Amino acid sequence: MATFDELISRLDPDFRVRGKQFEHICVWYLQNAPRFRGAVKNVWFFPEWPWRWNDKDRGVDIIVETVDEEIWAVQAKCYKPGLAVKKRDMDAFLSESSRRGISRRILIMSTDYLAEDSKRTIKDQVVPVEVISLSDLQEERLDWPEDPDCLPGLYPTAPEPAAAPEPA
């Protein structure tokens, strides 16, 4: 197993691939972090969640169902460690996740920096937004996976070929 810094250092240089890898890391984190142990029942990528309200990526990356049947919306932001998450970068998430049925929102980010307008906006939300930053992830007592490529579901597998029909 590895540290968070070792895992994150192995992310792909292409920002699109890197973002998807980080989302998979966040799913793994929500399923394995001690702070969520005993609370999390299911974790889905938003497009796979059976009750999704649309099929497009509009800011909600991950949905968590708790053992108490609460629903949490999660956004994963994979930024370079020195960059700040700006308000405009999370507006879609805040808008899409402020609906009936969502009881908690979590922003997981690979930086420690939130722009001032982001901090103010998060603070004023009716549905709470928990921020999990780079430092939080680094300090989490977890044996992180060695490599993002070994996380389940990161690369879709080819469908099984259909069986040949029986001869008549």
Side-chain angles (χ1 to χ4, degrees):
M1 296 308 261
T3 67
F4 180 76
D5 288 334
E6 290 167 336
L7 174 61
I8 207 88
S9 74
R10 294 184 180 102
L11 293 179
D12 196 279
D14 180 294
F15 76 93
R16 284 179 220 89
V17 175
R18 187 179 189 85
K20 286 295 173 200
Q21 288 173 321
F22 189 68
E23 288 176 11
H24 279 78
I25 290 169
C26 291
V27 166
W28 184 91
Y29 170 73
L30 291 161
Q31 293 169 330
N32 291 282
R35 71 196 301 176
F36 299 116
R37 196 166 292 136
V40 171
K41 179 178 177 183
N42 290 305
V43 182
W44 293 273
F45 293 104
F46 182 77
E48 298 168 359
W49 185 44
W51 300 278
R52 67 190 173 278
W53 48 85
N54 67 51
D55 289 329
K56 296 191 167 75
D57 181 355
R58 297 217 169 105
V60 176
D61 298 316
I62 300 163
I63 293 288
V64 174
E65 177 188 16
T66 70
V67 295
D68 297 329
E69 298 185 6
E70 290 183 358
I71 300 297
W72 303 345
V74 180
Q75 184 175 46
K77 285 291 187 191
C78 187
Y79 283 34
K80 291 181 180 174
L83 295 179
V85 175
K86 296 179 175 75
K87 179 183 176 293
R88 70 174 178 253
D89 301 331
M90 56 183 207
D91 278 343
F93 169 67
L94 295 175
S95 174
E96 283 294 306
S97 62
S98 64
R99 33 178 92 232
R100 266 185 303 235
I102 304 294
S103 60
R104 182 177 180 185
R105 298 181 288 181
I106 303 172
L107 172 62
I108 304 175
M109 52 190 211
S110 61
T111 180
D112 283 324
Y113 303 104
L114 269 176
E116 286 304 314
D117 58 348
S118 297
K119 291 177 188 175
R120 273 193 310 279
T121 301
I122 285 174
K123 183 177 161 240
D124 293 337
Q125 294 295 304
V126 174
V127 177
V129 179
E130 177 183 356
V131 176
I132 299 174
S133 69
L134 173 63
S135 293
D136 297 324
L137 295 168
Q138 290 168 326
E139 293 169 8
E140 193 74 57
R141 294 186 177 272
L142 273 172
D143 286 329
W144 293 90
E146 296 276 337
D147 191 298
D149 290 342
C150 54
L151 292 168
L154 186 56
Y155 299 106
T157 55
E160 292 288 324
E166 297 269 334

